[in-house]
Amino acid sequence: MTEGGNNQAMDKAYDAERVIAPGGTIGVLGGGQLGRMLALAGRAMGYRFVTLDPTPDAPCGQVADQQIVAAYHDAAAARQLAEQADVITYEFENVDAEVTSLLMAESYVPQGSRLLYTTQHRLREKRAIEAAGVKVAPYAEIASEAELREAVQRFGTPCVLKTATGGYDGKGQWVIRSLDEVAEAYETLSRAKTELVLEQFIHFAKEISVIAARSPRGEVKAFPAAENVHVNNILHLSIVPARASSEVLQEAERMALRIAEALDVIGLIAVEMFLTADGELYVNELAPRPHNSGHYTMEACRTSQFEQHVRAICNLPLSDPGLLTPVVMVNVLGEHVEPLLDWIVKAESEQAVPGVTAKVHLYGKQEAKTGRKMGHVNLLTDSVESANRWIELSNIWKSTK
């Protein structure tokens, strides 16, 4: 697609009156852990699931009624998914545009392609956020080394050069700390053959995220804001309630709802933000799907993000996202699996911390690679301090620094 294109795939894809009742079949493009947890939530509500993923016995395929094993760009496989599903959703952003158009033509994809088109490209995303009346960090489009040098001098160092497309968990970006790095940063990231964007570095006190849901009938709800802690550019902890003033947390929720409405979201959108020491919030990026920082909702909220996503795409009434208990979500990476399994078979009394209940979720991935997300643990707690003590005493994350 070209920016500003006006084709059928860019039109509103949903029907405000159409409802997919329990008993229907939900197709999931992507078979990873988000699809797995989506299917587990939806099956409890009475839905059937079929997923498309190139990896045999994918996490979602293990719990779905059927997995179509094929490449994401395989048109015949996409058509098979369309034939079997009453409604189709996706669990990752980088969906092939041609496959999306095919699915929209032959099935029902209420999320459409407009939001994907926006969030797949950092410059389009930032412009859309600004159009919603929400602040982002100052930025500049970069088309040459000379433009990069000028923008770095204007923003000051450090600042962050990113590819406009692709990149996650810290990939596709370069933190420029001096003018001496400009040439190497530009040469390295320009190999991606996509536009580049330079962002002014926000000296933030905390990273915050809010997940908002919107249905075709126009109903919107936001989950409580999470405070996120990253290690090596990968999410390590989500702390809820986030440790910020009630005014800041309410504003974060309002910003997420404003974005969900302005971007005509169907399903979920995760809004990641920076919170500065003086209480200012800047949106960093968006993810139009369930999100790692929302896994805490599975036990800690009246409704999980996954159930809410099912409700939204099926046009059921959205449910109460309210918090039931404070919680700390901690990611389980490949290097943590063995110590987690050692812990989980021990008597509870050996590792118990008063006021903390651990809920373990493993994703069914076959190979536990270092840095690969393999699961998470939700620590239902009476205090963040108690949860941190549990993390320390368990020794599961002793290698995490």
Side-chain angles (χ1 to χ4, degrees):
M1 296 180 190
T2 57
E3 186 164 5
N6 182 21
N7 53 43
Q8 184 176 2
M10 297 289 286
D11 293 337
K12 181 181 288 189
Y14 62 82
D15 179 348
E17 304 298 324
R18 185 170 183 173
V19 174
I20 309 298
T25 298
I26 298 174
V28 183
L29 189 59
Q33 65 262 24
L34 298 177
R36 177 190 183 94
M37 290 180 276
L38 186 71
L40 288 170
R43 287 179 74 92
M45 300 170 69
Y47 289 96
R48 294 183 176 274
F49 282 82
V50 57
T51 184
L52 190 159
D53 192 279
T55 304
D57 197 38
C60 183
Q62 294 169 16
V63 300
D65 295 271
Q66 180 187 356
Q67 178 182 345
I68 300 167
V69 180
Y72 295 126
H73 61 267
D74 186 324
R79 189 165 284 112
Q80 183 182 352
L81 181 70
E83 290 170 352
Q84 296 186 35
D86 297 301
V87 60
I88 292 175
T89 186
Y90 44 79
E91 63 133 32
F92 62 97
E93 299 87 306
N94 295 317
V95 180
D96 183 84
E98 291 184 12
V99 167
T100 304
S101 297
L102 183 153
L103 292 174
M104 290 175 66
E106 301 196 13
S107 187
Y108 180 45
V109 189
Q111 291 162 281
S113 64
R114 286 190 299 172
L115 186 58
L116 281 175
Y117 177 75
T118 299
T119 58
Q120 284 173 346
H121 193 282
R122 286 189 170 96
L123 284 167
R124 288 197 291 264
E125 180 177 274
K126 289 177 184 299
R127 291 164 185 155
I129 294 167
E130 288 179 314
V134 177
K135 287 190 296 188
V136 297
Y139 66 95
E141 183 175 357
I142 302 299
S144 68
E145 182 183 327
E147 287 185 3
L148 176 59
R149 187 171 298 276
E150 184 278 327
V152 170
Q153 290 175 321
R154 176 158 41 96
F155 288 159
T157 56
C159 50
V160 187
L161 183 65
K162 298 180 179 180
T163 56
T165 59
Y168 62 94
D169 289 343
K171 299 177 176 64
Q173 60 182 264
W174 186 300
V175 178
I176 298 175
R177 303 188 185 281
S178 75
L179 286 172
D180 294 338
E181 298 179 44
V182 165
E184 185 180 2
Y186 181 79
E187 194 275 332
T188 299
L189 293 194
S190 62
R191 292 175 195 158
K193 305 299 182 184
T194 183
E195 296 99 323
L196 301 178
V197 56
L198 184 72
E199 298 176 5
Q200 183 174 316
F201 191 86
I202 299 295
H203 294 278
F204 58 88
K206 286 179 171 41
E207 294 182 78
I208 301 286
S209 63
V210 175
I211 295 171
R214 182 176 177 273
S215 68
R217 64 182 72 192
E219 188 179 9
V220 292
K221 290 186 183 291
F223 287 93
E227 174 187 342
N228 300 316
V229 178
H230 292 79
V231 175
N232 298 324
N233 294 310
I234 299 175
L235 181 63
H236 176 46
L237 301 175
S238 289
I239 300 165
V240 187
R243 294 170 294 185
S245 70
S246 59
E247 291 80 11
V248 164
L249 300 184
Q250 289 169 10
E251 177 60 17
E253 291 182 23
R254 282 194 292 268
M255 288 167 64
L257 291 172
R258 200 176 307 145
I259 288 170
E261 292 182 314
L263 273 62
D264 217 21
V265 169
I266 300 298
L268 299 185
I269 189 159
V271 182
E272 299 181 68
M273 312 175 195
F274 294 135
L275 172 63
T276 65
D278 59 1
E280 291 291 317
L281 286 165
Y282 296 87
V283 172
N284 180 31
E285 59 185 17
L286 308 176
R289 52 170 171 76
H291 194 258
N292 195 171
S293 68
H295 293 350
Y296 78 87
T297 64
M298 295 175 76
E299 284 91 15
C301 290
R302 296 182 184 277
T303 306
S304 76
Q305 65 166 339
F306 300 102
E307 179 185 338
Q308 198 80 302
H309 185 73
V310 170
R311 286 177 169 274
I313 62 170
C314 293
N315 209 12
L316 303 181
L318 299 183
S319 192
D320 183 356
L323 194 68
L324 294 170
T325 174
V327 58
V328 175
M329 188 284 299
V330 55
N331 261 334
V332 175
L333 306 182
E335 60 268 33
H336 306 138
V337 171
E338 186 173 340
L340 173 64
L341 295 177
D342 288 343
W343 170 84
I344 207 169
V345 299
K346 291 180 180 178
E348 178 68 23
S349 60
E350 293 184 26
Q351 297 291 344
V353 173
V356 179
T357 300
K359 298 293 185 179
V360 176
H361 299 267
L362 291 172
Y363 303 150
K365 296 181 180 179
Q366 295 179 0
E367 188 176 358
K369 298 178 182 177
T370 298
R372 187 185 194 193
K373 293 174 184 175
M374 301 296 293
H376 69 272
V377 179
N378 283 337
L379 300 173
L380 310 181
T381 180
D382 55 5
S383 72
V384 174
E385 292 72 22
S386 295
N388 285 336
R389 179 158 176 75
W390 189 100
I391 292 169
E392 181 182 353
L393 290 178
S394 73
N395 283 323
I396 296 167
W397 294 273
K398 61 184 177 182
S399 63
T400 301
K401 297 180 181 179

